[in-house]
Amino acid sequence: MTAAFNFDLKATDGKARTGVITTPRGAIRTPAFMPVGTAGTVKAMLPDSVAATGADILLGNTYHLMLRPGAERVARLGGLHRFMNWERPILTDSGGFQVMSLAGLRKLTEEGVTFKSHIDGSKHELTPERSMEIQRLLGSDIVMCFDECPALPATDDEVARAMRLSMRWAERSRAAFGDRPGHALFGIMQGGVTPELREESAAALKAIGFDGYAVGGLAVGEGQAAMFGVLDYAPGFLPEDKPRYLMGVGKPEDIVGAVARGIDMMDCVLPTRSGRTGQVFTRRGALNIKNARHQDDPRPIDEACTCPACRNYSRAYLHHVFRAQEIIASMLLTWHNLHYYQEIMAGMRAAIAEGRFEAWQADFHAGRAEGDLPPL
Ligand SMILES: [Zn+2]
């Protein structure tokens, strides 16, 4: 493993960008969607199946893995890639977001956060230094800075305080990460919906210097209009020549809108979680397979989709196995959703490269306006 971490911006179309991130574990084509493998597995999917959907990289959660099975244990067993049998790149979050969500179970200081495990109530501490250590033990290819994302609703003062604390933690994260060739450290911009705070945060991160930059503090309940409002200007504060990652996004429409505003990477539990609850995403919008109107329908979810669920099974069958709570329902619906998400990403990459992203977006929105096929 010798190749350095590198981002090659290949083409732009409006604000949208396409490129390739090179890592020792393989290339990541951008814009990239990262499936979420919270606890060392993308739920209901084998790693080969995740790769078959077109995913170049997946995301692991520091918070969950540090509590169970524990980062030191994963390291003794050869690191997360080997442990979960995924050879391609992995990005880990810092644990910050999940810890901050533990309202009432955590205590925040300048040093870091102490909290009680949601599993067994045991006491733990996360600091920028410990988060860097855990992500190193896991063997993550892209490491995220430890930050504080304030819960909404938050006052401007609270957002500013959390952003400035996050910038001090970013500096400590950078120092603790050290020099690790082939591994990347991303800074996380905070600042809520206030342009001045976003600009201040971006300037602080750029002064420290990172391999990539995330737009944090969005997709936390502010709504699509407010999120797009921030994305209209915030990516412009970040360096052109580094990847930009929007954390925790989102629905297909959110992803397309974010790419149109200059985002290169995203992750979300939506396609996998929805697969387990019977919601499927298609180019004609979302549908719920448990709805009785599917029970006699011999057609696939989407006749144009080439995933195993659509190639081999009817809506009637998927409806049946979902209602019967058969495990294959989660497997097939998750596969379809991840396949659909990766198809959107591939479509956008090609359209941006060929300078026809505007037309691609018009087609994308026209398909949704058409709506799902009526029952037979
Ligand atoms: Zn499908």
Side-chain angles (χ1 to χ4, degrees), residues 100 108-113 126-128 145-148 164-174:
M100 302 307 165
L108 176 79
T109 66
E110 179 69 29
E111 183 56 24
V113 186
L126 260 183
T127 61
C145 277
F146 190 63
D147 69 332
E148 186 201 357
R164 289 178 187 132
L165 176 64
S166 295
M167 297 307 101
R168 295 192 294 277
W169 286 357
E171 205 160 354
R172 283 168 56 190
S173 294
R174 176 83 261 179

Side-chain angles (χ1 to χ4, degrees), residues 167-246:
M167 297 307 101
R168 295 192 294 277
W169 286 357
E171 205 160 354
R172 283 168 56 190
S173 294
R174 176 83 261 179
F177 179 82
D179 184 23
R180 300 179 59 209
H183 298 263
L185 178 63
F186 280 22
I188 305 176
M189 180 211 278
Q190 290 289 349
V193 295
T194 310
E196 293 73 23
L197 294 179
R198 288 279 172 188
E199 192 166 16
E200 180 186 329
S201 180
L205 295 175
K206 283 189 284 185
I208 301 166
F210 291 97
D211 305 300
Y213 295 83
V215 182
L218 294 178
V220 290
E222 74 281 0
Q224 193 196 62
M227 179 173 82
F228 282 175
V230 173
L231 293 179
D232 279 338
Y233 61 81
F237 297 146
L238 298 172
E240 287 271 323
D241 61 347
K242 305 284 182 193
R244 302 165 180 165
Y245 164 31
L246 178 60

Side-chain angles (χ1 to χ4, degrees), residues 33 218-219 227 246-251 254-255 258 266-268 341:
F33 178 78
L218 294 178
M227 179 173 82
L246 178 60
M247 307 171 76
V249 170
K251 294 188 185 120
D254 300 331
I255 286 178
M266 279 147 291
D267 77 282
C268 193
Y341 267 61

Side-chain angles (χ1 to χ4, degrees), residues 93-325:
D93 65 7
S94 70
F97 182 76
Q98 261 113 6
V99 168
M100 302 307 165
S101 322
L102 297 169
L105 290 171
R106 60 161 175 92
K107 187 166 170 261
L108 176 79
T109 66
E110 179 69 29
E111 183 56 24
V113 186
T114 51
F115 63 95
K116 283 188 178 157
S117 160
H118 74 284
I119 300 168
D120 60 6
S122 57
K123 226 179 146 180
H124 298 267
E125 185 177 29
L126 260 183
T127 61
E129 291 76 17
R130 178 60 180 154
S131 177
M132 294 306 105
E133 184 181 25
I134 292 170
Q135 295 181 75
R136 180 180 55 74
L137 288 165
L138 295 173
S140 167
D141 303 282
I142 301 181
V143 170
M144 299 304 298
C145 277
F146 190 63
D147 69 332
E148 186 201 357
C149 176
L152 291 182
T155 64
D156 284 357
D157 283 355
E158 284 167 344
V159 171
R161 183 206 51 75
M163 182 275 284
R164 289 178 187 132
L165 176 64
S166 295
M167 297 307 101
R168 295 192 294 277
W169 286 357
E171 205 160 354
R172 283 168 56 190
S173 294
R174 176 83 261 179
F177 179 82
D179 184 23
R180 300 179 59 209
H183 298 263
L185 178 63
F186 280 22
I188 305 176
M189 180 211 278
Q190 290 289 349
V193 295
T194 310
E196 293 73 23
L197 294 179
R198 288 279 172 188
E199 192 166 16
E200 180 186 329
S201 180
L205 295 175
K206 283 189 284 185
I208 301 166
F210 291 97
D211 305 300
Y213 295 83
V215 182
L218 294 178
V220 290
E222 74 281 0
Q224 193 196 62
M227 179 173 82
F228 282 175
V230 173
L231 293 179
D232 279 338
Y233 61 81
F237 297 146
L238 298 172
E240 287 271 323
D241 61 347
K242 305 284 182 193
R244 302 165 180 165
Y245 164 31
L246 178 60
M247 307 171 76
V249 170
K251 294 188 185 120
E253 295 84 350
D254 300 331
I255 286 178
V256 172
V259 169
R261 290 166 174 81
I263 295 295
D264 306 307
M265 305 167 69
M266 279 147 291
D267 77 282
C268 193
V269 295
L270 201 63
T272 40
R273 180 177 290 165
S274 297
R276 302 194 302 282
T277 58
Q279 190 183 37
V280 287
F281 297 97
T282 79
R283 65 207 157 81
R284 290 190 162 101
L287 62 88
N288 201 319
I289 204 68
K290 68 182 168 222
N291 193 310
R293 75 189 182 90
H294 302 301
Q295 66 186 345
D296 291 305
D297 199 330
R299 297 172 301 179
I301 296 168
D302 184 340
E303 70 278 9
C305 179
T306 58
C307 88
C310 293
R311 267 200 335 261
N312 304 321
Y313 298 100
S314 61
R315 292 184 181 197
Y317 178 78
L318 296 167
H319 170 85
H320 157 68
V321 287
F322 185 84
R323 283 295 190 93
Q325 297 180 14

